[in-house]
């Protein structure tokens, strides 16, 4: 059903069949990719008893060493800017990613 709905919406937006199929694959890959990551997070929590926040706190020194390597200046900047913490909220990541993809598809449909 989702396949038919997505392709129908893309066709109505003016996408050629091949572009509609590619766009559907991109959307599906995004949704599936986040679902796989969320499932892996839950599995790791079940096996280790350690939340992702606890794991990250335990790895901060490793991240800092990696970031201070001159080959990763942007990573160093991000870590410094987020030194107070970062809440990895999968709902927010999903909404941000989906909005970005849909905005891009909207822009493409106007060409």
């Amino acid at each position: 059903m989702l396949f038919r709905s997505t392709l129908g919406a893309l066709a109505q937006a003016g996408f050629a069949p091949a572009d509609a199929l590619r766009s559907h694959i991109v959307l599906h890959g995004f949704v599936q990719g986040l679902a796989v990551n969320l499932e892996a997070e839950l599995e790791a929590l079940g096996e280790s008893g350690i939340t992702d926040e606890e794991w990250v706190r335990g790895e901060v020194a490793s991240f800092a060493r990696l970031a201070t390597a001159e080959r990763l200046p942007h990573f160093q900047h991000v870590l410094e800017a987020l030194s107070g913490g970062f809440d990895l909220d999968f709902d927010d990541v999903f909404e941000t990613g989906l909005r970005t993809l849909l905005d891009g598809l909207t822009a493409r449909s106007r060409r």
Side-chain angles (χ1 to χ4, degrees), residues 8-66:
L10 291 165
Q12 284 183 329
F15 283 78
D19 288 335
L21 183 57
R22 284 186 204 97
S23 298
H24 169 76
I25 291 168
V26 167
L27 289 167
H28 179 78
F30 169 72
V31 171
Q32 186 178 30
L34 276 181
V36 166
N37 278 303
L38 183 56
E39 183 179 26
E41 290 284 334
L42 293 173
E43 189 176 304
L45 174 61
E47 291 176 2
S48 69
I50 298 172
T51 66
D52 57 333
E53 290 96 7
E54 293 167 331
W55 181 85
V56 168
R57 277 195 300 272
E59 296 297 319
V60 167
S62 296
F63 292 152
R65 277 193 306 277
L66 182 62

Side-chain angles (χ1 to χ4, degrees), residues 89-109:
D89 178 342
F90 278 103
D91 288 338
D92 186 46
V93 170
F94 178 79
E95 289 175 18
T96 300
L98 186 59
R99 186 178 331 106
T100 301
L101 286 171
L102 293 176
D103 287 351
L105 290 172
T106 299
R108 285 194 67 193
S109 74

Side-chain angles (χ1 to χ4, degrees), residues 74-93:
H74 301 293
F75 186 47
Q76 181 177 9
H77 173 73
V78 167
L79 286 182
E80 289 170 357
L82 299 174
S83 63
F86 176 75
D87 180 28
L88 178 59
D89 178 342
F90 278 103
D91 288 338
D92 186 46
V93 170

